[in-house]
Amino acid sequence: SGGLLMKISIIIPSLGNKDYLNRLFLSLQNQSTSLTVEVLICLTGANLHLKESLPTLPKNFSVVWIPSPVRGISQARNLGLQQ
């Protein structure tokens, strides 16, 4: 009906702590929204293989994994903004 599609982007700087990311994904699973949600996870010095063991998110959520050199949380967040 000519309305704008709303999209939310969430930038998560992470050192790859599996327990933290697991809790994050479980929390995102419990969100009830019809909006499109993009989750940008800036992994600082971490292994991308851990994503295979995390819970599945609802279909309106997309996850973008961004490998980041170890430079700190603020630079990881800025890298997510550039995406």
Side-chain angles (χ1 to χ4, degrees), residues 16-30:
N17 181 311
K18 184 178 175 182
D19 292 333
Y20 170 78
L21 290 173
N22 192 51
R23 285 193 318 255
L24 168 73
F25 274 55
L26 290 173
S27 175
L28 291 173
Q29 278 182 331
N30 292 323

Side-chain angles (χ1 to χ4, degrees), residues 2-79:
L4 292 175
L5 286 177
M6 296 293 293
K7 178 174 152 180
I8 297 172
S9 293
I10 303 169
I11 301 171
I12 308 293
S14 174
L15 294 174
N17 181 311
K18 184 178 175 182
D19 292 333
Y20 170 78
L21 290 173
N22 192 51
R23 285 193 318 255
L24 168 73
F25 274 55
L26 290 173
S27 175
L28 291 173
Q29 278 182 331
N30 292 323
Q31 303 304 310
S32 59
T33 180
S34 59
L35 300 175
T36 300
V37 180
E38 174 185 54
V39 182
L40 301 163
I41 301 178
C42 301
L43 283 173
T44 304
N47 187 338
L48 286 175
H49 290 52
L50 65 88
K51 66 183 177 182
E52 297 163 1
S53 63
L54 296 171
T56 303
L57 295 178
K59 293 188 186 300
N60 59 319
F61 284 75
S62 66
V63 179
V64 178
W65 297 87
I66 304 168
S68 170
V70 179
R71 290 191 226 155
I73 289 176
S74 59
Q75 290 208 358
R77 188 177 302 119
N78 291 340
L79 181 63

